[in-house]
Every structure is written in structure tokens, then in C-alpha cells.
């Protein structure tokens, strides 16, 4: 491909010509299109090469995600690619774990070591392999590989990141906040954002906020800290951490009290009119009453009779008591919901102090929401047809919208808080409508999701694959993964009574459980891109000990650790075998609709990465290595009948030719239609030339929906037919939003003693308390067990806009922006303790202590301290200088966060997680601050021994120079 980005014009400047200065230089001699991987956003980029080297990165303005916008991280991909921390060859540990002593080995030997060990495990007990991946974007492949291996012990990092957000959304609206949906940026008039990190869905949100600002729409940011997005909000609501649910319920209280709810929307698109059985003590109390076909009943106001909810000829009642044929009472779920949130415990006056807000502000925000939703309704002159064939003349929108992320998710009450935001949206009639919150394809999906977790005891057999994917969505207690004695099937205890809806697993518990042998011992921990000995673990210092701890026989308690990473991250030193990955500019990747999609609400999209440059080291893309190991193991789906590899061309071969179901592969674009070789999108036979088609189209595929399919996707006939064709939904019938969750009620009933599957006594109260069909608010679990007078402050981390987790602080350009972190304290709070800017303090939690330097600021909740996440590095890791600011002045809050809750009465310690989903409760942390002695000022604590550079990793230059070779010379021969 030749450079098409030639300067459109040349500056005319006499002096420039005289000095031979080219004011519009060419950016390179070749341009290639791929997908950025400097954060999870996955923008389209143009990479300019000069003499075969990466010269410049630019946003691709044809790409649906970023439309040409590129952030600082994206530009700095050059320094990620040329990082001196890159690993260069497979490594075998030769010293003690943690010592950093490795020898370089050839790939054949590395693959032989891995395969021999994994073969033995698979023939003995496949669950002895625990395979967990970090922030990779290939879970459609890695998850499938794990199920072919036969282990239930698979998950990615969602359990410590955002499973509350995902699960609450998928069980409620069939979609989710985060990158799975977005506000209708072009039409929304009032936007509320809860607890967003600035590095997620980064460019789309920045572009969207720009649109809001331009139109003068109001932007309210609810966040204890006023940085990043919050800094440009029209109103900052500096809420106390962990109380967002209460605030939302107070908004619902106000809307219900004022009668400002969209009844028509609730009746048409939610289960608000479905009849709930009122028979306390009965095994079906709180469940929906259903007819003989299993359809929930509604009360027909026209016929004055119970009818199936699918009856579209009537108007259902939203309140009242009705009788079933057996004489029992039923009421619409809306009535139960309204009674709950109209209770005075949710009145603004009752919650304001707990939330750290003014009651009048809560009332005003509720009134503003109601005003915009109902007085500023918008109509689009677009005809559409609903699922039942009813023709609609226009699309009506309530232009208020919401978005939320980790600030909500990372609390132990986060699942219910996330669900509460979705209920608020439903009351306002603002999901999937013009101006509201919109879900991105292939979502919305059916509620409940149809894929259940796999890994029942009889699914796990030596030498056998699982019958389905390990991760899924339980819909009743029978779906939990328990052994006959009630113990966990999975090493992370996902899908047990402790965390029943743990649909992303609990990666933060894997090392602890594997070390302890609870629920059992494993043999091999296979990790990919997960910095578990540092910023990705709670209780980091102790995790380091667990990784090196030995049993009485002198063997490591976690016997074997295989790790793949492109860089010398802190985790490398703790592995026994390293499989070095490539950088994102050197490999194939697949951004699939089966995984975390890059679609928009009005289009479906997927994309690839491909090698822009060949690696100059002996490294291989992890996905290809995984497929290679799978073929050597003879895993089903990876070998032909004669035992030869099914995808000899490696990962690109797999991307193009693997089918998950007939006609459904990893990429939706340019599939084959017929034997003549015509193409079709979405579903069709695999096309061996598919990747070439992607390359011709700048590495992405994009399918724009017709305008009449763009909104109301949960009930839009045309959209549902398309989604059904693609395989996203199993039927073309409406996806009804679950305002009231019968699934949660089924677990509650089990806790109350009903049904065949009941929790053990130790978990019974927990299930009864935290499984509720409607959102509840409770004090975060750790907080409720902490002396709050002793530990008065909340402590949070945030990720800066210019870094993505730990990836950025080894990047020479991004390090120039931030190479150490402070603890930020509210100015007044600090002053009361006599603390001034740049003082050193101890941050003490009930669990541990760290020493850090502080900065004072005004835009933070007075009860909250915070810092940037993952800037702190271990000395020597990432090939940084041993005295780099990242290790001497940077720090991790992780050391003071425990992965376990304090012991309860009988001594049992649950994981520090949401009791519904198992989401890591990073943000429940409580601390106190004590001024450090002057002689303690100088460096952060704890400090760790310097990690030695492994074999093959050259010392990084003192000054990292980039681009000198691209400089041209003027007539005088001087470089310029
Ligand atoms: S937002 Fe993320 S994916 Fe997009 S350019 Fe920036 S770093 Fe790359």
C-alpha cells in the first residue's frame, strides 16, 4: 500500500526554500491500517512506516470507533512497540521464583515443556489447569481453547474489573454500560455519568462529550473525585464512595412521588405489569404467575381478567391486587417496586447525609431529569415496526441518558447499584430511545442470557473437552457449579453460593485459593497479560509470598506457572516458563462480535490487527502459541481426524476458517454466500480469503443499520430479524427488560429453604440478604465490618487518561507525563491534620500500611483520598532503572487492600467481593492517614528488592532516543 496521505499543499516560504526546510514532510513511505491496542477502546489507526520502521501513528478517520481521533496513548504506541522492556526469547526459570534468573531457550523446547506438562494434566484431571487472562481482547479464542482442554478454571480479568456492570446490565436490559452501550450523544439533553475511569471507551466518550458541550446539553458527573471527565462537567456531584445506589433510589423516590414515570414504556418494554405471586412462605412467593404455556400473567384492564403478557390487544394494569384461579393474590411487579422506593427510607432527606449530598440537590436533579424526559420529549420522523408487527409512525425519545463504570462496579454493593441505574432509566423510558442510553450490537441479548456456565462434575473428565464454554449466566440455583459435597468446582469459587452469578470468574482469588489448596490444589497456572504479582492483585506483598511459598517437601505450593507477556512486567519473575508475546503492531488479532465488540448503537462492526512489522526478536503472538499447544495436545477442534493441525497457518488461519456454529465465525464480514464465491456478511460459510478483504477495507468491517432499525432494538422487528440471522438472539420475539428479577428471587427462595438446591447454613443468611428481585442498598461489606471512627477515609484509585493500567508507565513518552503518584487529599481534611502539600504520610488500613507523598486538592469528597493506579513499579521491573521514580516515589494502594473480608463470627473469611457476582471490591477500602516522621520522607514504602534483568534483556539506555534516523539533511549536510 502506498502513502495516500501526501500533503495537500506546500507552504511557500522563501527562507524555508533557501534553508531546504520541508515544512510539510511526508510521514513515511508506506502506510498500513490496523487497530490500536494502547487501551480497550480499539480505535482504527494508520501506521506510517519509513524504511520499514514505525515512523508515525495517526487516527483513521474512516474508522467507526474514533473517526480519526487519536489520543496521546495511541500516538505513544510507537514507544510501546520499541520499548526496551520487550522480552525477546522464551525463558526457563533457573533460579528461585522471584529472582529473575532465567535461561533463554528455543521455542521448540518451550512448547515441549508446556505440552508435556499440560498433556499429563489433561489425562489426569483437566481442572488442574487454571487458565486466566488479563486485559487481552481474544476471549472468544482463549475461552474456547479452555473448554476444548476441558478445564472449568478459565476466566479473564472481568471479575476484578467490571462484572457488576456487565452482569447487572445483562440480567436487566440485555446489554450493559461501559463499551457495550453509550448515550445517544447526538440527541441527549441531560447526561449523568457515574464513576467513569478516563481510560475506558476513551475516544468515543471524549468525542461524545464534545458533542454535548457543543449543543449545550447538561452534563452531570457523579464521582467522589473531580478530574478527567468530571472536570468538564456542568455539575459535579462529589458523592461519598459506595453510596451511589442510595442516591439513585432517592431519585427514583422523587420520580415516583411526582408521578413522573413513563407508564407506556414500562408496559410495553419491561416486566413492570407481570403478576408476582404474593404468598409468603410458599415456594413460589415472589415469582411470576404464569399460564399453561409458561407466559407470565398481566391484568387486562379491558377484559378485567388475567391474560398472557404476550397479549397485545389490551392495556395491562400497573397496580392493584388480583386473584389467581387457586385464590392466591398476585400484584404487578411495578406495584412492589413503587412501594419499595416510595418508602421514606429512600427520601432525599433520609439519604443525603449518608451520600454526602444536600437533599435539595437530590430533589433538584430528580426534577431536572423529569423535566427533560417529559417536557422536552423528542420525536424522530422515522416509521418502524415492533416485534408484534405493530406499525409505529415515529420514534419518541426521552432525552436523558446515563453511563457508569468502575466507580459503581468495584464496590461490594455494585451489582445492585448498577441494576438501580437501569431501573431509573426504565422509569424515565430512556433505554434504546432517541436521546437515551443505547445498546451496541450484538446486544441487547435475551434476558436472562441463554448461555449457562459449564463445568458440572460430570462435565469434567480426563482427556475430555467441556460440552460448552466455562463462563456463562446462571438462571437458578441448579445452575451453580458445585461438587457433591457442596464444595466449588472452580478454583476461584465462581458459581458457588458465595458468588452465584460470578459470570466473569474471580481472578483476584485464583492465586490465594491455589496457594491455599482451597477448594483444591492445581498443578499449572497459565496466565496471559495479567500482572498478578503487582497491580492486578489485592494484597500484593502477600501474593508475592504466595507465589514463592513452598510446602514441607520444598515444592512450590503453586507447582507450575506459565506466563505470556510481551514485556518484562513484575509477573515475569514469578513464572517458571515464559512464552514471549509480540507487540500489537507485530501480530494478528481479532476484535470479534463474539467477544468485546467495537460496534456502535447504529452499526455492527468488527476488526483485526495484522503484523505491520515483523518482530525483530524470537517472539510469537500468544494466540498462535495457544493454538499450537492445542494442536500438539490433540484438542478437539484443533486437529484433523488424522491428528494433523487443523489450522497449520496459525492464528490468521483460525480467525478466517474456524466456525463456532455453522456459518458463525470470529469475523462477521465477507463470509461466503455460495459456491460461486459471492460474499455475505454476518452468517455464511468461512471465507479463506476473509482477512484479505479486511485488509482491503482498512482492517475493519462495518454494517450500518437502516434508520428504522436503529432504536428500540429490544422490540424492533427489523433489528431482531437481523440479530437472529446473525445468531445474537435465539428467537425474534421481544426482549423484555427485567425491572423485577425472578432469577434473583429464585436464589432468595433457596436461601429461605425452598427447592432442591439450597445453600449451606454458612451461606444461607448471605443469600437471603443479598439476593433480592429489586435493587437494594447496603453498606459495602468491608466498611460494615470496619471501625469507621478509626478508619474515617475512603481510599480509591483512578486511571489517568494517558495510561492504561500498568502498560503506560514503561512508555518513554507517557512516563514524561506521569512517572510517580501522589496521594490526593481534600485540602480541608488535610489541613485539619496539619498536612501540607508534598508531606509524607502513612496510609493505614485495617490490613496493612504504606508510606506515600501527598498533594492537596479541592475537587475531592472530603472523606476520600485517592491516587493514580499502577504508576508504582517494582524496582527493576519493566527494564526501568532501579531508582526510577516509579519505584522510589510511586506506590500501589493494592498493598493495603485485603483479598479477604475480616473474619465473621465463626471465623470464616469471604473474599472481598460482591456477594452476588464476586466482583472485586477494590473501592470499599477504608483508611486513616498519619503524618510520617521527617526522617521517613524520601521514598515510598514498601520497597522490594530489585528485580534482576533476565537473560536476553539488554539494559535500557539512559536516554531513550527515538527517530534520529528519520531526520533528513539539508543542503549543508546538517541533520534537521
Ligand atoms: S482511545 Fe485507546 S484505542 Fe483509541 S487511540 Fe487512544 S489508546 Fe488507542
Amino acid at each position: 500500500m502506498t502513502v495516500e496521505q501526501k500533503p495537500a499543499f506546500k507552504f511557500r516560504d522563501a527562507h524555508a526554500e533557501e534553508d531546504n526546510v520541508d515544512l510539510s514532510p511526508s510521514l513515511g513511505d508506506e502506510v498500513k491500517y490496523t487497530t490500536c491496542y494502547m487501551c480497550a477502546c480499539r480505535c482504527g489507526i494508520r501506521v506510517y512506516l519509513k524504511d520499514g520502521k514505525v515512523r508515525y501513528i495517526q487516527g483513521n478517520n474512516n474508522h467507526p470507533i474514533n473517526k480519526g481521533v487519536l489520543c496521546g496513548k495511541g500516538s505513544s504506541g510507537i514507544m510501546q512497540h520499541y520499548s526496551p522492556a520487550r522480552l525477546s526469547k522464551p525463558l526457563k526459570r533457573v533460579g528461585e521464583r522471584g529472582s529473575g534468573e532465567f535461561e533463554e531457550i528455543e521455542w521448540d523446547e518451550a512448547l515441549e515443556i508446556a505440552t508435556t506438562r499440560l498433556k499429563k494434566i489433561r489425562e489426569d484431571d483437566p481442572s488442574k489447569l487454571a487458565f486466566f487472562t488479563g486485559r487481552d481482547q481474544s476471549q472468544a479464542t482463549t475461552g474456547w481453547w479452555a473448554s476444548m482442554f476441558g478445564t472449568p478454571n478459565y476466566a479473564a480479568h472481568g471479575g476484578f474489573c467490571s462484572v457488576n456492570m456487565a452482569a447487572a446490565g445483562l440480567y436487566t436490559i440485555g446489554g450493559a454500560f461501559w463499551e457495550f452501550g453509550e448515550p445517544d450523544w447526538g440527541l441527549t439533553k441531560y447526561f449523568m455519568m457515574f464513576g467513569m475511569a478516563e481510560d475506558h471507551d476513551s475516544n468515543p466518550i471524549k468525542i461524545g462529550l464534545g458533542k454535548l458541550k457543543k449543543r449545550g446539553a447538561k452534563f452531570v458527573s457523579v464521582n467522589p473525585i473531580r478530574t478527567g471527565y468530571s472536570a468538564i462537567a456542568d455539575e459535579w456531584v462529589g458523592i461519598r464512595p459506595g453510596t451511589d445506589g442510595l442516591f439513585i433510589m432517592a431519585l427514583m423516590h422523587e420520580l415516583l412521588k411526582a408521578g413522573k414515570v413513563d407508564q407506556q414504556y414500562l408496559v410495553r418494554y419491561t416486566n413492570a405489569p407481570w403478576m408476582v405471586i404474593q404468598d409468603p412462605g410458599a415456594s413460589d412467593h415472589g415469582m411470576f404467575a404464569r399460564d399453561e404455556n409458561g407466559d407470565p400473567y398481566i391484568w387486562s384492564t379491558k377484559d378485567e381478567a388475567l391474560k398472557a403478557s404476550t397479549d397485545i390487544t389490551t392495556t395491562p394494569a400497573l397496580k392493584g391486587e388480583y386473584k389467581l384461579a387457586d385464590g392466591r393474590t398476585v400484584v404487578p411487579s411495578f406495584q412492589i417496586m413503587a412501594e419499595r422506593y416510595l418508602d421514606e427510607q429512600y427520601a432525599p432527606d433520609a439519604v443525603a447525609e449518608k451520600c454526602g449530598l444536600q437533599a435539595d440537590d437530590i430533589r433538584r436533579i430528580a426534577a431536572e431529569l423529569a423535566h427533560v424526559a417529559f417536557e422536552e420529549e423528542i420525536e424522530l420522523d422515522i416509521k418502524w415496526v415492533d416485534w408484534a408487527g405493530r406499525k409505529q409512525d415515529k420514534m419518541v425519545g426521552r432525552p436523558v441518558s446515563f453511563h457508569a463504570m468502575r466507580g459503581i462496579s468495584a464496590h461490594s454493593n455494585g451489582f445492585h447499584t448498577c441494576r438501580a441505574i437501569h431501573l431509573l432509566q426504565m422509569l424515565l423510558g430512556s433505554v434504546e430511545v432517541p436521546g437515551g442510553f443505547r445498546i451496541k450490537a450484538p446486544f441487547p441479548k435475551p434476558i436472562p442470557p441463554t448461555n449457562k456456565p459449564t463445568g458440572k462434575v460430570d462435565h469434567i473428565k480426563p482427556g475430555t473437552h467441556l460440552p460448552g464454554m466455562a463462563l456463562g449466566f446462571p438462571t437458578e440455583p441448579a445452575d451453580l457449579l458445585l461438587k457433591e459435597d457442596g464444595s466449588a468446582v472452580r478454583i476461584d469459587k465462581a458459581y458457588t453460593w458465595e458468588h452465584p452469578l460470578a459470570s466473569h470468574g474471580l481472578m483476584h482469588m485464583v492465586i490465594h485459593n491455589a496457594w491455599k489448596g482451597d477448594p483444591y490444589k492445581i498443578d499449572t497456572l497459565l496466565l496471559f497479560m495479567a500482572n498478578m504479582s503487582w497491580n492486578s492483585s489485592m494484597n500484593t506483598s502477600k501474593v508475592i509470598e504466595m507465589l514463592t511459598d513452598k510446602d514441607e517437601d520444598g515444592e512450590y505450593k503453586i507447582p507450575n506457572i506459565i506466563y505470556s507477556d510481551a514485556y518484562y512486567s513484575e509477573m515475569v519473575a514469578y513464572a517458571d516458563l515464559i512464552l514471549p508475546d509480540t507487540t500489537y503492531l507485530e501480530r494478528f488479532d481479532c476484535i470479534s462480535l463474539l467477544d468485546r465488540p467495537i460496534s456502535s448503537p447504529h452499526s455492527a462492526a468488527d476488526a483485526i490487527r495484522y503484523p505491520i512489522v515483523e518482530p525483530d526478536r524470537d517472539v510469537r503472538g500468544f494466540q498462535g502459541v495457544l493454538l499450537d499447544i492445542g494442536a500438539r495436545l490433540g484438542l478437539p477442534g484443533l486437529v484433523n481426524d488424522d491428528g494433523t493441525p487443523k489450522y497449520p497457518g496459525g492464528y490468521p488461519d483460525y480467525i478466517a476458517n474456524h466456525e463456532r456454529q455453522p456459518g458463525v465465525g470470529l469475523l462477521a464480514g465477507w463470509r461466503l454466500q455460495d459456491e460461486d464465491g459471492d460474499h455475505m456478511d454476518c452468517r455464511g460459510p468461512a471465507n479463506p480469503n476473509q482477512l484479505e478483504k479486511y485488509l482491503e477495507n482498512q482492517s475493519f468491517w462495518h454494517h450500518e443499520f437502516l434508520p428504522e432499525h436503529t432504536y428500540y432494538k429490544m422490540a424492533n422487528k427489523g433489528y431482531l430479524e437481523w440479530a437472529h440471522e446473525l445468531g445474537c438472539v435465539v428467537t425474534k420475539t421481544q426482549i423484555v427488560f427485567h425491572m423485577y428479577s425472578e432469577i434473583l428471587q429464585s436464589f432468595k427462595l433457596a436461601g429461605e429453604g425452598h427447592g432442591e438446591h439450597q445453600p449451606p447454613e454458612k451461606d444461607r443468611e448471605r443469600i437471603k440478604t443479598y439476593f433480592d428481585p429489586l435493587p437494594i442498598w447496603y453498606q459495602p461489606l468491608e466498611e460494615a465490618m470496619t471501625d469507621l471512627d478509626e478508619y474515617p477515609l475512603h481510599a480509591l484509585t483512578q486511571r489517568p487518561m494517558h495510561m492504561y493500567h500498568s502498560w503506560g508507565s514503561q512508555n518513554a513518552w507517557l512516563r514524561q507525563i506521569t512517572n510517580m503518584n501522589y496521594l490526593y487529599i481534600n485540602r480541608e481534611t488535610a489541613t485539619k491534620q496539619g498536612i501540607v502539600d508534598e508531606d509524607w504520610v502513612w496510609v493505614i488500613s485495617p490490613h496493612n500500611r504504606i508510606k506515600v507523598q501527598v498533594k492537596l486538592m479541592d475537587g475531592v469528597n472530603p472523606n476520600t483520598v485517592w491516587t493514580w493506579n499502577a504508576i508504582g513499579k517494582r524496582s527493576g521491573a519493566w527494564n526501568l532503572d532501579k531508582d526510577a521514580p516509579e519505584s522510589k516515589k510511586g506506590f500501589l494502594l493494592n498493598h493495603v487492600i485485603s483479598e479477604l473480608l475480616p473474619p465473621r463470627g465463626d471465623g470464616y473469611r469471604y473474599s472481598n467481593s460482591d456477594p452476588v457476582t464476586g466482583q472485586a471490591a477494590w473501592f470499599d477500602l477504608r483508611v486513616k492517614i498519619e503524618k510520617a516522621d521527617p526522617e521517613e520522607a524520601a521514598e515510598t514504602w514498601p520497597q522490594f528488592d530489585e528485580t534482576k534483568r533476565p537473560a536476553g534483556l539488554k539494559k535500557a539506555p539512559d536516554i531513550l532516543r527515538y527517530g534520529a534516523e528519520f531526520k533528513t539533511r539539508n543542503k549543508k549536510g546538517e541533520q534537521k
Side-chain angles (χ1 to χ4, degrees):
M1 217 173 284
T2 52
V3 176
E4 41 111 271
Q5 179 79 3
K6 288 279 183 201
F9 59 90
K10 287 252 184 193
F11 289 102
R12 293 275 164 221
D13 183 302
H15 295 295
E17 285 188 4
E18 197 176 288
D19 292 343
N20 191 26
V21 175
D22 185 356
L23 294 176
S24 300
S26 163
L27 300 173
D29 45 36
E30 197 180 2
V31 64
K32 295 184 177 179
Y33 292 82
T34 187
T35 309
C36 184
Y37 200 0
M38 292 295 289
C39 84
C41 213
R42 294 157 293 167
C43 298
I45 50 172
R46 294 200 261 233
V47 182
Y48 290 85
L49 301 168
K50 188 148 194 240
D51 303 327
K53 289 200 76 177
V54 180
R55 166 77 178 84
Y56 185 69
I57 296 178
Q58 191 178 49
N60 177 1
N61 39 16
N62 299 318
H63 198 275
I65 285 270
N66 56 320
K67 301 172 185 71
V69 174
L70 190 77
C71 77
K73 299 189 293 288
S75 311
S76 305
I78 294 176
M79 298 314 273
Q80 206 81 2
H81 174 68
Y82 290 119
S83 165
R86 288 176 306 174
L87 298 170
S88 57
K89 203 170 174 64
L91 297 171
K92 186 166 86 171
R93 180 176 60 79
V94 291
E96 291 293 305
R97 264 195 205 155
S99 67
E101 290 168 33
F102 290 93
E103 68 177 17
E104 292 188 307
I105 56 173
E106 299 302 322
W107 272 101
D108 277 348
E109 185 183 351
L111 293 171
E112 183 61 29
I113 293 170
T115 308
T116 305
R117 188 106 184 193
L118 294 176
K119 194 173 180 52
K120 204 156 163 289
I121 294 173
R122 190 163 188 264
E123 282 164 5
D124 171 25
D125 175 2
S127 58
K128 292 249 163 80
L129 169 67
F131 177 21
F132 285 78
T133 73
R135 297 171 183 92
D136 77 303
Q137 297 167 359
S138 56
Q139 290 158 37
T141 298
T142 52
W144 176 83
W145 189 96
S147 75
M148 292 300 107
F149 186 88
T151 179
N153 291 322
Y154 166 81
H157 80 289
F160 65 63
C161 178
S162 57
V163 64
N164 273 339
M165 195 59 65
L170 290 170
Y171 280 97
T172 308
I173 60 169
F177 290 128
W178 186 30
E179 64 204 38
F180 301 96
E182 67 183 27
D184 194 355
W185 296 114
L187 294 173
T188 199
K189 296 181 183 175
Y190 196 100
F191 172 50
M192 288 188 81
M193 176 185 267
F194 289 80
M196 290 290 294
E198 289 113 27
D199 68 344
H200 268 288
D201 210 17
S202 182
N203 276 346
I205 289 181
K206 283 178 271 175
I207 296 168
L209 289 176
K211 286 183 185 164
L212 294 193
K213 287 282 177 187
K214 208 165 165 186
R215 288 192 293 105
K218 182 162 182 182
F219 166 28
V220 180
S221 179
V222 183
N223 196 321
I225 307 156
R226 186 166 200 180
T227 58
Y229 300 143
S230 300
I232 61 157
D234 299 295
E235 180 171 353
W236 173 53
V237 179
I239 198 163
R240 184 191 265 271
T243 63
D244 306 74
L246 263 187
F247 171 48
I248 293 155
M249 288 169 201
L251 294 175
M252 287 161 59
H253 175 94
E254 287 295 287
L255 293 172
L256 286 162
K257 209 166 108 184
K260 294 288 186 187
V261 297
D262 189 337
Q263 293 195 25
Q264 198 187 356
Y265 184 94
L266 290 166
V267 161
R268 279 204 161 200
Y269 304 119
T270 78
N271 64 13
W274 292 7
M275 289 293 155
V276 180
I277 296 166
Q278 300 297 288
D279 189 5
S283 62
D284 55 0
H285 171 66
M287 302 295 277
F288 291 122
R290 296 172 185 271
D291 67 11
E292 61 283 2
N293 299 318
D295 282 336
Y297 280 125
I298 54 161
W299 180 259
S300 163
T301 53
K302 188 176 83 180
D303 301 330
E304 301 211 332
L306 291 168
K307 295 274 177 171
S309 62
T310 46
D311 185 337
I312 57 167
T313 64
T314 188
T315 305
L318 284 176
K319 59 182 183 183
E321 286 192 356
Y322 307 95
K323 293 288 177 196
L324 295 174
D326 64 9
R328 295 193 299 168
T329 301
V330 288
V331 299
S333 65
F334 177 85
Q335 179 161 316
I336 301 172
M337 187 273 301
E339 282 171 2
R340 171 170 297 182
Y341 301 114
L342 278 168
D343 191 284
E344 282 305 303
Q345 66 174 303
Y346 299 113
D349 288 316
V351 309
E353 195 182 335
K354 276 194 190 128
C355 297
L357 306 175
Q358 297 296 319
D360 281 346
D361 287 334
I362 300 175
R363 279 188 279 270
R364 175 181 51 77
I365 291 170
E368 288 174 0
L369 284 168
H371 178 84
V372 177
F374 299 107
E375 311 304 323
E376 297 187 25
E377 176 181 288
I378 48 179
E379 287 182 7
L380 298 186
D381 197 14
I382 302 173
K383 293 186 171 54
W384 65 288
V385 180
D386 77 9
W387 65 278
R390 290 172 288 192
K391 294 194 171 99
Q392 316 287 325
D393 287 341
K394 57 193 175 196
M395 290 183 162
V396 179
R398 309 222 174 271
V400 292
S401 60
F402 299 81
H403 210 23
M405 197 31 207
R406 223 161 155 250
I408 303 295
S409 200
H411 287 291
S412 56
N413 58 13
F415 174 81
H416 281 287
T417 299
C418 296
R419 247 178 70 69
I421 302 179
H422 293 311
L423 258 66
L424 174 60
Q425 297 191 106
M426 285 183 217
L427 291 181
L428 291 163
S430 66
V431 185
E432 267 299 317
V433 300
F437 175 74
R438 302 171 71 195
I439 302 170
K440 297 179 182 179
F443 302 92
K445 296 225 177 184
I447 313 165
T450 47
N451 50 320
K452 299 201 176 189
T454 310
K456 295 279 189 193
V457 174
D458 58 353
H459 292 155
I460 303 160
K461 295 182 192 139
T464 308
H465 65 282
L466 294 181
M469 300 290 266
L471 297 178
F473 298 87
T475 58
E476 56 180 339
D479 295 333
L480 297 181
L481 301 183
L482 301 167
K483 293 187 177 170
E484 271 173 17
D485 62 1
S487 65
V489 163
R490 288 178 55 110
I491 186 70
D492 57 1
K493 302 191 185 179
Y495 307 120
T496 64
W497 290 104
E498 295 192 16
H499 312 289
L501 306 187
S503 35
H504 287 180
L506 286 87
M507 188 165 184
H508 53 294
M509 293 309 297
V510 172
I511 290 174
H512 174 274
N513 293 0
W515 163 75
K516 203 172 171 198
D518 174 21
Y520 50 81
K521 287 192 168 295
I522 60 164
D523 178 87
T524 293
L525 180 58
L526 170 58
L527 296 174
F528 171 47
M529 264 177 70
N531 202 11
M532 298 304 292
S533 71
W534 200 248
N535 56 285
S536 290
S537 278
M538 294 168 153
N539 196 7
T540 301
S541 320
K542 181 73 184 164
V543 164
I544 289 173
E545 287 174 33
M546 293 174 194
L547 289 167
T548 51
D549 196 16
K550 293 184 174 174
D551 61 21
E552 53 283 358
D553 299 327
E555 300 296 326
Y556 286 115
K557 288 192 172 172
I558 302 176
N560 185 36
I561 300 177
I562 303 176
Y563 183 47
S564 179
D565 198 325
Y567 303 99
Y568 187 45
S569 65
E570 283 86 351
M571 185 61 210
V572 170
Y574 294 93
D576 306 303
L577 178 69
I578 302 295
L579 306 172
D581 194 12
T582 62
T583 73
Y584 71 105
L585 297 178
E586 296 169 325
R587 66 161 174 263
F588 278 95
D589 267 329
C590 177
I591 293 104
S592 169
L593 282 172
L594 303 180
D595 205 323
R596 296 162 59 173
I598 56 160
S599 305
S600 77
H602 50 81
S603 64
D606 59 21
I608 62 163
R609 294 191 189 94
Y610 77 104
I612 298 296
V613 287
E614 288 300 320
D616 58 357
R617 306 162 320 288
D618 193 9
V619 297
R620 297 183 187 176
F622 175 69
Q623 292 79 7
V625 170
L626 198 63
L627 297 177
D628 188 347
I629 292 173
R632 288 165 189 248
L633 291 169
L635 299 187
L638 284 173
V639 285
N640 298 309
D641 292 344
D642 63 1
T644 54
K646 195 164 180 182
Y647 303 104
Y651 194 39
D653 189 357
Y654 176 85
I655 292 172
N657 295 307
H658 168 74
E659 285 186 302
R660 198 51 60 87
Q661 305 164 22
V664 177
L666 292 175
L667 292 172
W670 298 284
R671 304 195 70 76
L672 289 181
Q673 184 171 26
D674 50 38
E675 285 167 2
D676 297 334
D678 291 336
H679 297 133
M680 67 181 296
D681 291 336
C682 304
R683 196 168 196 146
N687 176 3
N689 301 318
Q690 192 180 32
L691 293 180
E692 283 155 32
K693 291 287 176 193
Y694 273 77
L695 292 188
E696 284 167 19
N697 199 54
Q698 304 184 349
S699 289
F700 68 91
W701 166 81
H702 182 237
H703 169 85
E704 193 79 19
F705 302 141
L706 295 170
E708 59 266 37
H709 297 167
T710 300
Y711 294 97
Y712 301 99
K713 292 197 280 289
M714 68 289 189
N716 186 316
K717 189 166 186 286
Y719 174 79
L720 288 170
E721 283 173 354
W722 176 85
H724 183 252
E725 175 60 31
L726 184 61
C728 305
V729 292
V730 277
T731 72
K732 299 174 200 168
T733 53
Q734 182 188 4
I735 297 163
V736 179
F737 292 159
H738 282 203
M739 188 199 77
Y740 183 96
S741 176
E742 196 181 36
I743 295 166
L744 294 174
Q745 178 65 9
S746 75
F747 282 89
K748 190 180 190 68
L749 286 169
E752 289 169 353
H754 299 290
E756 193 186 332
H757 303 274
Q758 290 189 31
E761 287 313 308
K762 80 171 180 56
D763 298 327
R764 193 175 285 284
E765 248 344 278
R766 182 170 158 110
I767 294 291
K768 274 161 62 177
T769 307
Y770 301 116
F771 278 76
D772 194 295
L774 290 166
I776 52 174
W777 183 84
Y778 47 90
Q779 193 176 22
L781 301 186
E782 189 182 51
E783 196 176 300
M785 300 170 88
T786 300
D787 180 345
L788 301 185
D789 293 331
E790 177 74 8
Y791 301 99
L793 298 169
H794 301 264
L796 305 176
T797 52
Q798 292 205 105
R799 289 189 297 273
M801 206 168 253
H802 52 278
M803 301 272 187
Y804 186 62
H805 299 281
S806 57
W807 298 357
S809 55
Q810 50 116 0
N811 184 302
W813 290 349
L814 299 178
R815 287 184 71 211
Q816 292 177 45
I817 304 172
T818 306
N819 63 2
M820 63 163 289
N821 52 321
Y822 293 97
L823 186 81
Y824 292 91
I825 311 183
N826 178 285
R827 193 174 305 281
E828 247 178 67
T829 310
T831 307
K832 278 185 201 152
Q833 277 196 248
I835 294 168
V836 299
D837 245 350
E838 306 204 356
D839 267 354
W840 287 80
V841 301
W842 288 96
V843 181
I844 304 162
S845 76
H847 174 68
N848 202 349
R849 53 167 48 205
I850 54 176
K851 182 168 47 107
V852 306
Q853 201 171 6
V854 302
K855 280 272 189 197
L856 276 43
M857 67 181 282
D858 298 311
V860 58
N861 177 292
N863 305 300
T864 304
V865 297
W866 71 277
T867 190
W868 297 121
N869 180 46
I871 302 295
K873 292 276 171 279
R874 181 168 179 164
S875 176
W878 300 92
N879 209 2
L880 296 178
D881 186 89
K882 70 179 176 45
D883 294 322
E886 283 85 349
S887 56
K888 295 300 169 202
K889 296 207 163 180
F891 67 93
L892 293 181
L893 211 53
N894 307 48
H895 296 294
V896 292
I897 305 175
S898 173
E899 78 279 29
L900 297 172
L901 288 174
R904 63 178 194 184
D906 62 1
Y908 189 76
R909 299 185 73 180
Y910 284 108
S911 77
N912 186 5
S913 308
D914 187 297
V916 179
T917 62
Q919 154 94 51
W922 300 94
F923 291 171
D924 287 357
L925 177 65
R926 297 295 297 238
V927 299
K928 62 180 172 187
I929 305 293
E930 286 177 5
K931 226 171 147 169
D933 290 336
E935 61 271 20
E936 293 177 318
E939 61 180 31
T940 49
W941 192 91
Q943 290 287 323
F944 294 84
D945 295 342
E946 180 193 350
T947 301
K948 281 189 202 144
R949 253 179 303 114
L953 191 69
K954 293 195 190 84
K955 186 178 180 322
D958 290 339
I959 298 175
L960 196 56
R961 291 204 165 80
Y962 162 76
E965 68 271 36
F966 300 132
K967 290 192 173 178
T968 52
R969 292 181 183 277
N970 64 17
K971 283 176 185 164
K972 296 173 198 159
E974 296 161 334
Q975 238 182 9
K976 54 189 178 71

